[in-house]
Amino acid sequence: MWLTDLKIAIVEKNTDALQELLDDIPVLEGADDIQSALYLLREASELIHTLKDETSHTMRQVKKNLEFLKSTQEKAKPTLDIKL
């Protein structure tokens, strides 16, 4: 059941489910289950690194876009407007 849930979390790219599954790794019996778990854990690790890189790239792009938008705004002219 744990291996199936791990497969589903990887396919869905569900990092919350991956975290929960990694926090509660069961004792696996059988060479096939252990081999499958190792393969899936490598895939999960690769997925997390890919998502991290994508997030980093997106954040850099947002920062560049914000800087561009700020540079295109007119600078406010300092004025002293006193009305009685």
Side-chain angles (χ1 to χ4, degrees), residues 12-72:
E12 292 179 346
K13 297 182 180 181
N14 186 341
T15 56
D16 294 331
L18 282 173
Q19 183 63 44
E20 289 177 21
L21 290 165
L22 293 175
D23 287 341
D24 189 28
I25 298 175
V27 175
L28 300 171
E29 296 181 12
D32 289 339
D33 286 346
I34 294 171
Q35 195 69 14
S36 295
L38 287 173
Y39 174 76
L40 290 171
L41 290 172
R42 279 189 218 114
E43 287 296 317
S45 176
E46 186 175 319
L47 171 66
I48 296 298
H49 288 294
T50 301
L51 292 174
K52 179 184 166 194
D53 292 342
E54 288 174 1
T55 302
S56 177
H57 174 73
T58 302
M59 290 176 69
R60 281 193 304 269
Q61 189 62 44
V62 166
K63 184 178 178 182
K64 286 180 184 179
N65 291 344
L66 286 173
E67 288 173 358
F68 172 76
L69 289 173
K70 287 179 183 176
S71 71
T72 60

